[in-house]
Amino acid sequence: MSVCDVVNTSAEKVAEIEVNDNLFGVEVDTGILHEVVCMQRANRRRGTASTKTRGEVRGGGAKPWRQKGTGRARAGSNNSPIWRGGGTTFGPKPRDYKYSLPKKVRRLALRMALSARMGEGNVVILDKFAMDAPKTKKFVNVMKNFDFDQCLIVTDDESQNLQLSVRNAVGYKTLPVAGLNVYDILKYPKLMVIQSSLEQLETRLMV
């Protein structure tokens, strides 16, 4: 177990807490992180790009001109791929890019990403982030106390006002423990974890 400081919204230390080394002290393998990030990005692709083949392009049918005697090249259809307005050869068609990695690998990658941020000293454990109402200005002022331009905030499921406050703040994002993923942890240079979500995080990743 490692000991970390717990701070308040004024960036003042208020307590200390032990964090699980199996969660924040795992040896980082960049290859595994790369595999999981590639999987996440592939799964987000819509795969809706589509082009028409020569069989789908409007036209064709009649031979454009007779085979011999015109001085022009032979042509049998005006929807040939080599003609302007013709079909596309080997163009994209709607497809599903999704694939999956084993659950153990995905969990390990999450722990590695958390450990990487902890090893850099870029993890802040906050005692609480109480918001009586959605107020983006109040949220930005709190972030100024930490001098964070970009930050991912891991919350419990009850932080609705906080989630609404962050929506219009550029460079910041909140995620519940259930939605935490490798891509977002690596995308944001700073990671803020609400203390109440630590137990949920351990339950999710240490099963």
Side-chain angles (χ1 to χ4, degrees), residues 3 23 41 72 91 107 138 147 164 168 177 193 196 207:
V3 178
L23 201 61
R41 297 192 68 185
R72 290 182 288 186
R107 284 179 181 164
K138 179 180 178 181
D147 196 24
L164 294 174
N168 291 332
V177 172
V193 183
S196 59
V207 174

Side-chain angles (χ1 to χ4, degrees), residues 24 27 43 59 72 83-84 92 94 115 136 139 157 161 170 178 201:
F24 290 99
E27 184 179 351
N43 292 350
R72 290 182 288 186
W83 277 43
R84 180 178 179 276
S115 300
T136 301
F139 168 78
D157 296 332
N161 287 333
V170 178
L201 193 61

Side-chain angles (χ1 to χ4, degrees), residues 45-53 56 91-97:
R45 294 184 67 174
R46 297 180 66 183
T48 55
S50 181
T51 56
K52 292 184 177 181
T53 66
E56 296 167 326
K93 283 293 184 183
R95 55 168 291 192
D96 186 3
Y97 289 91

Side-chain angles (χ1 to χ4, degrees), residues 4-23:
C4 293
D5 295 339
V6 179
V7 299
N8 58 20
T9 51
S10 299
E12 300 169 343
K13 179 180 175 179
V14 294
E16 290 184 346
I17 189 173
E18 288 187 343
V19 294
N20 196 326
D21 287 337
N22 289 327
L23 201 61

